[in-house]
Amino acid sequence: MKILVGMSGGVDSTYTAYKLKNEGHTVEGIVLEMHDYTDISAAKKTAELLDIKLHIVDCRELFKKYVISDFISEYSLGHTPNPCTVCNRYVKIAEL
Protein backbone atom coordinates (compact mmCIF):
# COMPACT_ATOMS: atom_id res chain seq x y z
CA MET A 1 0.00 0.00 0.00
CA LYS A 2 1.29 3.47 -0.88
CA ILE A 3 0.80 6.07 1.85
CA LEU A 4 1.37 9.81 1.64
CA VAL A 5 2.44 11.39 4.94
CA GLY A 6 2.21 15.11 5.64
CA MET A 7 5.74 15.93 6.72
CA SER A 8 7.00 18.70 8.95
CA GLY A 9 10.21 17.02 9.99
CA GLY A 10 8.95 16.95 13.56
CA VAL A 11 8.62 13.94 15.82
CA ASP A 12 5.05 12.99 14.89
CA SER A 13 5.40 12.96 11.12
CA THR A 14 8.89 11.44 11.27
CA TYR A 15 7.77 8.58 13.49
CA THR A 16 4.67 8.00 11.37
CA ALA A 17 6.69 7.72 8.16
CA TYR A 18 9.32 5.55 9.88
CA LYS A 19 6.75 3.16 11.37
CA LEU A 20 4.76 2.82 8.15
CA LYS A 21 7.90 2.18 6.11
CA ASN A 22 9.08 -0.45 8.61
CA GLU A 23 5.68 -2.13 8.32
CA GLY A 24 6.37 -2.59 4.61
CA HIS A 25 4.30 0.22 3.15
CA THR A 26 5.52 2.39 0.32
CA VAL A 27 5.76 5.81 1.96
CA GLU A 28 6.12 9.22 0.38
CA GLY A 29 6.12 12.54 2.17
CA ILE A 30 4.52 15.84 1.32
CA VAL A 31 5.22 19.31 2.65
CA LEU A 32 3.22 22.43 1.87
CA GLU A 33 5.17 25.62 1.30
CA MET A 34 2.82 28.28 2.65
CA HIS A 35 4.94 31.41 2.47
CA ASP A 36 8.46 32.58 1.73
CA TYR A 37 9.52 31.77 5.30
CA THR A 38 8.29 28.17 5.36
CA ASP A 39 11.12 26.04 6.70
CA ILE A 40 11.08 22.78 4.77
CA SER A 41 14.65 21.81 5.65
CA ALA A 42 13.64 19.42 8.47
CA ALA A 43 11.15 17.63 6.21
CA LYS A 44 13.82 17.32 3.50
CA LYS A 45 16.34 15.94 5.98
CA THR A 46 13.84 13.46 7.39
CA ALA A 47 12.82 12.25 3.94
CA GLU A 48 16.47 11.81 3.03
CA LEU A 49 17.23 9.88 6.22
CA LEU A 50 14.21 7.63 5.73
CA ASP A 51 14.95 7.29 2.01
CA ILE A 52 11.46 8.34 0.95
CA LYS A 53 10.36 10.65 -1.84
CA LEU A 54 9.30 14.12 -0.69
CA HIS A 55 6.78 16.18 -2.62
CA ILE A 56 6.99 19.93 -2.08
CA VAL A 57 3.78 21.73 -2.98
CA ASP A 58 3.95 25.47 -3.49
CA CYS A 59 0.84 26.87 -1.77
CA ARG A 60 2.08 30.43 -1.42
CA GLU A 61 -0.47 31.96 -3.78
CA LEU A 62 -3.37 30.06 -2.22
CA PHE A 63 -2.18 31.07 1.24
CA LYS A 64 -2.08 34.73 0.21
CA LYS A 65 -5.43 34.52 -1.55
CA TYR A 66 -7.36 32.84 1.24
CA VAL A 67 -5.54 33.19 4.54
CA ILE A 68 -3.71 36.50 4.42
CA SER A 69 -6.45 38.38 2.58
CA ASP A 70 -9.11 37.04 4.96
CA PHE A 71 -6.99 37.97 7.98
CA ILE A 72 -6.48 41.53 6.76
CA SER A 73 -10.15 41.93 5.85
CA GLU A 74 -11.47 40.57 9.14
CA TYR A 75 -8.94 42.44 11.27
CA SER A 76 -9.70 45.73 9.53
CA LEU A 77 -13.38 45.21 10.42
CA GLY A 78 -12.48 44.84 14.08
CA HIS A 79 -13.00 41.08 14.10
CA THR A 80 -10.65 38.49 15.54
CA PRO A 81 -9.71 36.30 12.56
CA ASN A 82 -8.96 32.62 12.89
CA PRO A 83 -6.46 31.95 10.10
CA CYS A 84 -6.14 28.23 10.90
CA THR A 85 -9.74 27.45 9.99
CA VAL A 86 -9.40 29.28 6.69
CA CYS A 87 -6.03 27.67 5.95
CA ASN A 88 -7.20 24.15 6.80
CA ARG A 89 -10.29 24.44 4.60
CA TYR A 90 -8.94 26.24 1.56
CA VAL A 91 -5.26 25.37 1.52
CA LYS A 92 -4.14 22.37 3.58
CA ILE A 93 -7.00 19.96 3.04
CA ALA A 94 -7.58 21.09 -0.53
CA GLU A 95 -3.93 20.62 -1.52
CA LEU A 96 -3.33 17.39 0.38
Side-chain angles (χ1 to χ4, degrees), residues 3-62:
I3 300 174
L4 185 65
V5 176
M7 301 290 293
S8 66
V11 174
D12 295 339
S13 61
T14 298
Y15 181 73
T16 299
Y18 171 80
K19 183 169 175 53
L20 289 168
K21 186 174 178 181
N22 281 344
E23 290 177 356
H25 301 287
T26 301
V27 177
E28 294 184 8
I30 186 169
V31 63
L32 304 178
E33 188 173 8
M34 300 292 196
H35 46 74
D36 293 338
Y37 305 103
T38 303
D39 184 3
I40 59 175
S41 62
K44 283 182 177 180
K45 183 176 181 180
T46 297
E48 186 178 309
L49 288 170
L50 294 176
D51 193 30
I52 63 173
K53 183 176 181 176
L54 181 66
H55 303 271
I56 301 169
V57 179
D58 186 346
C59 297
R60 290 178 290 185
E61 289 304 315
L62 285 175

Side-chain angles (χ1 to χ4, degrees), residues 34-95:
M34 300 292 196
H35 46 74
D36 293 338
Y37 305 103
T38 303
D39 184 3
I40 59 175
S41 62
K44 283 182 177 180
K45 183 176 181 180
T46 297
E48 186 178 309
L49 288 170
L50 294 176
D51 193 30
I52 63 173
K53 183 176 181 176
L54 181 66
H55 303 271
I56 301 169
V57 179
D58 186 346
C59 297
R60 290 178 290 185
E61 289 304 315
L62 285 175
F63 190 79
K64 285 178 193 173
K65 178 180 178 181
Y66 291 106
V67 182
I68 293 174
S69 65
D70 178 73
F71 186 91
I72 292 168
S73 175
E74 290 297 309
Y75 195 77
S76 67
L77 294 172
H79 300 158
T80 303
N82 187 343
C84 292
T85 59
V86 175
C87 185
N88 288 341
R89 182 174 182 184
Y90 295 106
V91 183
K92 285 182 184 177
I93 303 304
E95 289 303 299

